[in-house]
Amino acid sequence: MSAIKFDLEIITSHTVANTTGLGRGNVGAISLRNYVIAIDSTIYAKTAQIFRTNLEEHFNLPVKFIILTHYHADHIFGIGPFKDIVSFCSEQMLENMQSSSIKQTYEQRVKDLLKEDPLAEGIVFELPNIAFNNKLIIRDEDLYIEAIHLGGHTSGSSIVHFPHEKVLFAGDLIFANMFPYAGDATCDPELYIKAIEIMKEMKPEIVIPGHGKILKGYKTLDEYINFFKKVRMIIKDAINNEIPPEKIELPTQYEIFNEELKRLTVNHWYNFYKKGL
Ligand SMILES: [Zn+2]
Protein backbone atom coordinates (compact mmCIF):
# COMPACT_ATOMS: atom_id res chain seq x y z
CA MET A 1 0.00 0.00 0.00
CA SER A 2 1.36 3.40 -0.91
CA ALA A 3 1.94 5.79 1.96
CA ILE A 4 -0.31 8.81 2.28
CA LYS A 5 1.45 12.14 2.04
CA PHE A 6 0.21 14.71 4.52
CA ASP A 7 2.98 17.25 5.04
CA LEU A 8 3.00 20.28 7.28
CA GLU A 9 3.02 23.78 5.83
CA ILE A 10 5.23 25.94 8.02
CA ILE A 11 3.44 29.23 8.61
CA THR A 12 5.43 30.95 11.40
CA SER A 13 7.91 29.66 13.97
CA HIS A 14 5.02 28.59 16.24
CA THR A 15 2.31 27.68 13.73
CA VAL A 16 1.77 25.10 10.99
CA ALA A 17 -1.16 23.82 8.92
CA ASN A 18 -2.16 21.43 6.19
CA THR A 19 -4.43 23.08 3.65
CA THR A 20 -4.04 20.53 0.85
CA GLY A 21 -7.59 19.21 1.22
CA LEU A 22 -6.27 15.64 1.49
CA GLY A 23 -7.93 15.40 4.89
CA ARG A 24 -10.96 17.25 3.45
CA GLY A 25 -11.02 19.91 6.19
CA ASN A 26 -7.85 21.89 6.87
CA VAL A 27 -5.93 21.35 10.10
CA GLY A 28 -3.48 23.52 11.99
CA ALA A 29 -1.41 23.67 15.15
CA ILE A 30 0.27 26.10 17.52
CA SER A 31 3.35 25.28 19.58
CA LEU A 32 3.60 26.99 22.95
CA ARG A 33 6.76 26.62 25.08
CA ASN A 34 6.27 23.06 26.30
CA TYR A 35 3.64 21.47 24.10
CA VAL A 36 1.62 21.73 20.92
CA ILE A 37 -2.11 22.41 20.48
CA ALA A 38 -3.70 20.85 17.39
CA ILE A 39 -6.72 22.37 15.69
CA ASP A 40 -9.19 19.98 14.03
CA SER A 41 -8.51 16.39 13.05
CA THR A 42 -9.35 15.98 9.32
CA ILE A 43 -11.99 13.46 8.25
CA TYR A 44 -9.55 10.52 8.33
CA ALA A 45 -7.75 8.88 11.23
CA LYS A 46 -4.93 8.07 8.79
CA THR A 47 -4.24 11.71 7.93
CA ALA A 48 -4.73 12.68 11.59
CA GLN A 49 -2.11 10.17 12.68
CA ILE A 50 0.43 11.48 10.15
CA PHE A 51 -0.45 15.04 11.18
CA ARG A 52 0.26 14.27 14.84
CA THR A 53 3.51 12.45 14.12
CA ASN A 54 4.66 15.34 11.92
CA LEU A 55 3.78 17.88 14.61
CA GLU A 56 5.77 16.07 17.29
CA GLU A 57 8.75 15.72 14.96
CA HIS A 58 8.65 19.28 13.66
CA PHE A 59 8.30 21.00 17.04
CA ASN A 60 10.05 18.30 19.08
CA LEU A 61 7.26 18.70 21.64
CA PRO A 62 4.28 16.54 22.59
CA VAL A 63 0.78 17.38 21.35
CA LYS A 64 -1.10 18.01 24.58
CA PHE A 65 -4.50 19.34 23.47
CA ILE A 66 -6.72 19.38 20.42
CA ILE A 67 -9.38 22.00 19.77
CA LEU A 68 -12.24 21.16 17.41
CA THR A 69 -13.70 24.17 15.58
CA HIS A 70 -17.11 22.63 14.76
CA TYR A 71 -18.93 19.34 14.44
CA HIS A 72 -18.71 18.72 10.68
CA ALA A 73 -17.35 15.30 9.73
CA ASP A 74 -14.39 16.65 7.76
CA HIS A 75 -13.05 18.30 10.93
CA ILE A 76 -13.77 15.66 13.59
CA PHE A 77 -13.95 12.09 12.25
CA GLY A 78 -10.15 11.74 12.43
CA ILE A 79 -10.02 12.32 16.21
CA GLY A 80 -8.99 8.70 16.96
CA PRO A 81 -5.20 9.27 17.04
CA PHE A 82 -5.76 12.12 19.56
CA LYS A 83 -7.88 10.08 21.97
CA ASP A 84 -5.16 9.94 24.63
CA ILE A 85 -5.05 13.75 24.98
CA VAL A 86 -7.66 16.30 26.04
CA SER A 87 -10.00 17.61 23.36
CA PHE A 88 -11.87 20.91 23.60
CA CYS A 89 -14.89 22.40 21.84
CA SER A 90 -17.51 25.04 22.50
CA GLU A 91 -20.42 24.06 24.72
CA GLN A 92 -22.74 24.67 21.78
CA MET A 93 -20.73 22.28 19.60
CA LEU A 94 -21.05 19.60 22.27
CA GLU A 95 -24.80 20.21 22.29
CA ASN A 96 -24.87 19.97 18.48
CA MET A 97 -23.12 16.60 18.65
CA GLN A 98 -25.48 15.32 21.33
CA SER A 99 -28.66 16.28 19.48
CA SER A 100 -30.35 13.08 18.39
CA SER A 101 -30.67 14.01 14.69
CA ILE A 102 -26.99 14.95 14.29
CA LYS A 103 -25.82 11.97 16.35
CA GLN A 104 -27.87 9.58 14.24
CA THR A 105 -26.83 11.11 10.91
CA TYR A 106 -23.15 11.18 11.81
CA GLU A 107 -23.01 7.69 13.30
CA GLN A 108 -24.56 6.46 10.06
CA ARG A 109 -22.03 8.49 8.06
CA VAL A 110 -19.17 6.83 9.89
CA LYS A 111 -20.63 3.40 9.00
CA ASP A 112 -21.17 4.39 5.35
CA LEU A 113 -17.67 5.84 4.96
CA LEU A 114 -16.11 2.75 6.53
CA LYS A 115 -17.80 0.71 3.82
CA GLU A 116 -17.22 3.05 0.86
CA ASP A 117 -13.94 4.83 1.43
CA PRO A 118 -10.70 2.82 1.66
CA LEU A 119 -9.06 5.69 3.57
CA ALA A 120 -11.75 5.72 6.27
CA GLU A 121 -10.38 3.00 8.53
CA GLY A 122 -10.34 4.22 12.14
CA ILE A 123 -12.77 7.12 11.79
CA VAL A 124 -15.14 7.78 14.72
CA PHE A 125 -17.88 10.12 15.86
CA GLU A 126 -16.76 10.92 19.36
CA LEU A 127 -17.59 13.72 21.80
CA PRO A 128 -14.77 16.04 22.89
CA ASN A 129 -13.76 15.94 26.59
CA ILE A 130 -14.08 19.56 27.69
CA ALA A 131 -16.49 22.24 26.53
CA PHE A 132 -15.99 25.99 26.95
CA ASN A 133 -18.43 28.84 26.93
CA ASN A 134 -17.56 31.95 24.90
CA LYS A 135 -13.82 31.73 25.31
CA LEU A 136 -11.08 29.31 26.33
CA ILE A 137 -7.58 30.55 27.15
CA ILE A 138 -4.66 28.13 27.37
CA ARG A 139 -1.46 29.61 28.81
CA ASP A 140 2.05 28.19 28.80
CA GLU A 141 4.72 30.46 30.30
CA ASP A 142 4.64 33.72 28.30
CA LEU A 143 2.46 32.40 25.45
CA TYR A 144 -1.25 31.80 25.20
CA ILE A 145 -3.94 30.94 22.72
CA GLU A 146 -7.62 31.80 22.81
CA ALA A 147 -10.43 29.75 21.35
CA ILE A 148 -13.51 31.91 20.84
CA HIS A 149 -17.02 30.66 20.19
CA LEU A 150 -18.64 32.80 17.47
CA GLY A 151 -21.27 30.57 15.82
CA GLY A 152 -22.26 31.35 12.23
CA HIS A 153 -21.17 28.46 9.99
CA THR A 154 -22.67 26.17 12.65
CA SER A 155 -24.11 27.34 15.97
CA GLY A 156 -21.10 25.83 17.76
CA SER A 157 -18.34 27.22 15.50
CA SER A 158 -15.17 28.57 17.12
CA ILE A 159 -11.95 30.19 15.98
CA VAL A 160 -8.48 29.84 17.51
CA HIS A 161 -6.28 32.91 17.88
CA PHE A 162 -2.56 33.09 18.63
CA PRO A 163 -1.92 36.79 19.40
CA HIS A 164 1.87 36.39 19.81
CA GLU A 165 2.25 35.83 16.05
CA LYS A 166 -1.08 37.32 14.93
CA VAL A 167 -2.24 34.02 13.46
CA LEU A 168 -5.91 33.11 13.37
CA PHE A 169 -7.42 29.71 12.61
CA ALA A 170 -10.87 30.48 11.25
CA GLY A 171 -12.33 26.98 10.86
CA ASP A 172 -15.14 26.97 8.31
CA LEU A 173 -16.00 30.61 8.90
CA ILE A 174 -13.67 31.09 5.91
CA PHE A 175 -13.68 29.06 2.68
CA ALA A 176 -10.77 30.70 0.87
CA ASN A 177 -11.50 31.45 -2.78
CA MET A 178 -14.36 29.00 -3.10
CA PHE A 179 -18.11 29.14 -2.69
CA PRO A 180 -18.70 28.70 1.07
CA TYR A 181 -20.94 26.06 2.58
CA ALA A 182 -23.40 27.99 4.74
CA GLY A 183 -26.33 25.59 4.62
CA ASP A 184 -26.00 23.72 7.89
CA ALA A 185 -29.30 23.49 9.80
CA THR A 186 -27.71 25.45 12.68
CA CYS A 187 -26.07 28.09 10.44
CA ASP A 188 -27.02 31.68 11.32
CA PRO A 189 -26.23 33.99 8.36
CA GLU A 190 -26.22 37.10 10.55
CA LEU A 191 -23.74 35.56 13.00
CA TYR A 192 -21.67 34.29 10.05
CA ILE A 193 -21.14 37.82 8.76
CA LYS A 194 -20.59 39.15 12.29
CA ALA A 195 -18.02 36.43 12.99
CA ILE A 196 -15.90 37.48 10.01
CA GLU A 197 -16.21 41.11 11.10
CA ILE A 198 -15.02 40.15 14.59
CA MET A 199 -12.06 38.26 13.08
CA LYS A 200 -11.15 41.32 11.04
CA GLU A 201 -11.23 43.52 14.14
CA MET A 202 -8.66 41.18 15.70
CA LYS A 203 -6.28 42.27 12.91
CA PRO A 204 -4.59 38.91 12.24
CA GLU A 205 -1.68 38.91 9.81
CA ILE A 206 -2.39 35.33 8.76
CA VAL A 207 -5.75 33.57 8.54
CA ILE A 208 -5.95 29.81 8.07
CA PRO A 209 -9.32 28.92 6.57
CA GLY A 210 -11.26 25.68 7.12
CA HIS A 211 -10.96 25.03 3.38
CA GLY A 212 -8.64 26.54 0.80
CA LYS A 213 -5.31 28.26 1.03
CA ILE A 214 -3.92 30.52 3.74
CA LEU A 215 -4.88 34.21 3.61
CA LYS A 216 -2.37 36.99 4.32
CA GLY A 217 -3.50 40.16 6.05
CA TYR A 218 -6.78 40.89 7.83
CA LYS A 219 -7.94 43.16 5.01
CA THR A 220 -8.44 40.08 2.82
CA LEU A 221 -11.39 39.31 5.12
CA ASP A 222 -13.29 42.26 3.60
CA GLU A 223 -13.78 40.22 0.45
CA TYR A 224 -15.64 37.52 2.42
CA ILE A 225 -17.69 40.02 4.42
CA ASN A 226 -18.71 41.77 1.20
CA PHE A 227 -19.53 38.47 -0.53
CA PHE A 228 -21.86 37.37 2.26
CA LYS A 229 -23.49 40.82 2.45
CA LYS A 230 -24.10 40.68 -1.30
CA VAL A 231 -25.60 37.19 -0.98
CA ARG A 232 -27.81 38.42 1.86
CA MET A 233 -29.05 41.35 -0.21
CA ILE A 234 -29.77 39.19 -3.28
CA ILE A 235 -31.66 36.64 -1.20
CA LYS A 236 -33.71 39.28 0.61
CA ASP A 237 -34.57 40.89 -2.75
CA ALA A 238 -35.60 37.50 -4.14
CA ILE A 239 -37.92 36.95 -1.18
CA ASN A 240 -39.45 40.42 -1.65
CA ASN A 241 -39.92 39.78 -5.37
CA GLU A 242 -41.20 36.24 -4.83
CA ILE A 243 -38.38 34.68 -6.83
CA PRO A 244 -37.94 31.01 -5.74
CA PRO A 245 -34.54 29.92 -4.37
CA GLU A 246 -33.70 27.80 -7.45
CA LYS A 247 -33.92 30.90 -9.67
CA ILE A 248 -31.63 33.06 -7.54
CA GLU A 249 -28.38 34.09 -9.21
CA LEU A 250 -25.46 34.64 -6.88
CA PRO A 251 -22.09 36.31 -7.53
CA THR A 252 -19.87 33.98 -9.58
CA GLN A 253 -16.44 34.99 -8.27
CA TYR A 254 -15.86 31.67 -6.49
CA GLU A 255 -15.39 28.16 -7.73
CA ILE A 256 -18.26 25.89 -6.71
CA PHE A 257 -16.74 22.73 -5.28
CA ASN A 258 -20.10 21.06 -4.68
CA GLU A 259 -23.38 22.09 -6.37
CA GLU A 260 -25.49 20.35 -3.74
CA LEU A 261 -23.81 22.25 -0.90
CA LYS A 262 -24.43 25.50 -2.79
CA ARG A 263 -28.11 24.61 -3.19
CA LEU A 264 -28.39 23.83 0.54
CA THR A 265 -26.75 27.17 1.33
CA VAL A 266 -29.14 29.18 -0.85
CA ASN A 267 -32.18 27.34 0.53
CA HIS A 268 -31.03 27.78 4.09
CA TRP A 269 -30.45 31.55 3.72
CA TYR A 270 -33.76 31.90 1.86
CA ASN A 271 -35.70 30.18 4.63
CA PHE A 272 -33.78 32.06 7.32
CA TYR A 273 -34.65 35.48 5.91
CA LYS A 274 -38.15 34.48 4.83
CA LYS A 275 -38.98 33.72 8.44
CA GLY A 276 -37.63 37.10 9.44
CA LEU A 277 -39.74 39.06 6.94
ZN1 LIG B 1 -17.97 22.95 8.20
Side-chain angles (χ1 to χ4, degrees):
M1 210 179 105
S2 64
I4 309 163
K5 216 169 133 60
F6 197 70
D7 294 338
L8 295 179
E9 296 156 45
I10 315 302
I11 304 170
T12 60
S13 58
H14 287 272
T15 64
V16 294
N18 182 296
T19 63
T20 59
L22 291 171
R24 307 271 189 93
N26 290 344
V27 287
I30 302 163
S31 78
L32 299 182
R33 297 293 177 205
N34 301 289
Y35 54 84
V36 177
I37 299 169
I39 300 153
D40 284 344
S41 76
T42 76
I43 196 168
Y44 300 122
K46 287 177 196 274
T47 41
Q49 180 60 63
I50 300 169
F51 175 50
R52 184 171 178 178
T53 306
N54 287 346
L55 286 178
E56 294 182 334
E57 265 174 29
H58 174 71
F59 290 117
N60 198 22
L61 289 170
V63 179
K64 189 166 176 180
F65 303 119
I66 183 164
I67 299 171
L68 300 170
T69 60
H70 66 297
Y71 78 85
H72 286 159
D74 50 342
H75 297 261
I76 65 161
F77 277 4
I79 193 74
F82 293 93
K83 261 197 206 167
D84 60 311
I85 61 168
V86 174
S87 50
F88 292 95
C89 73
S90 72
E91 200 173 353
Q92 185 58 54
M93 173 174 159
L94 192 60
E95 256 178 55
N96 293 150
M97 289 180 76
Q98 286 172 303
S99 86
S100 54
S101 64
I102 291 172
K103 195 170 176 285
Q104 232 175 8
T105 308
Y106 275 58
E107 282 173 350
Q108 189 56 46
R109 239 183 118 195
V110 167
K111 283 186 198 155
D112 293 343
L113 276 172
L114 285 171
K115 268 189 241 153
E116 295 157 11
D117 189 338
L119 279 180
E121 187 191 339
I123 63 165
V124 283
F125 177 72
E126 197 153 294
L127 301 179
N129 305 121
I130 299 183
F132 59 90
N133 216 328
N134 301 325
K135 190 160 147 176
L136 163 78
I137 296 174
I138 301 177
R139 300 199 71 96
D140 179 27
E141 298 181 16
D142 57 324
L143 300 179
Y144 71 97
I145 64 105
E146 39 190 20
I148 304 163
H149 171 221
L150 295 176
H153 172 70
T154 64
S155 57
S157 287
S158 297
I159 58 168
V160 182
H161 184 215
F162 184 49
H164 180 69
E165 290 183 329
K166 297 189 191 310
V167 179
L168 195 148
F169 295 83
D172 279 2
L173 286 161
I174 297 290
F175 284 70
N177 292 305
M178 60 178 89
F179 193 92
Y181 173 54
D184 184 271
T186 72
C187 166
D188 181 323
E190 290 295 308
L191 287 183
Y192 213 135
I193 295 168
K194 201 171 156 216
I196 308 173
E197 286 174 336
I198 290 169
M199 289 194 276
K200 193 191 158 199
E201 280 163 26
M202 294 164 83
K203 294 191 166 54
E205 281 171 9
I206 295 163
V207 178
I208 294 93
H211 296 267
K213 296 291 164 202
I214 292 163
L215 302 176
K216 298 264 167 76
Y218 66 91
K219 285 187 182 139
T220 55
L221 294 175
D222 274 332
E223 180 189 320
Y224 298 91
I225 296 166
N226 293 338
F227 175 80
F228 276 122
K229 285 187 173 169
K230 222 184 284 169
V231 170
R232 177 173 67 183
M233 193 185 71
I234 292 167
I235 286 180
K236 282 186 172 179
D237 282 349
I239 294 165
N240 283 329
N241 296 315
E242 296 183 358
I243 296 168
E246 61 276 13
K247 295 230 163 106
I248 293 174
E249 282 184 29
L250 293 181
T252 54
Q253 75 224 63
Y254 296 131
E255 186 195 340
I256 295 159
F257 67 94
N258 185 323
E259 279 291 344
E260 174 61 8
L261 294 184
K262 183 190 172 194
R263 193 187 65 79
L264 288 171
T265 299
V266 174
N267 283 350
H268 184 74
W269 283 50
Y270 192 91
N271 292 329
F272 181 90
Y273 286 110
K274 200 168 177 181
K275 274 184 221 148
L277 284 177

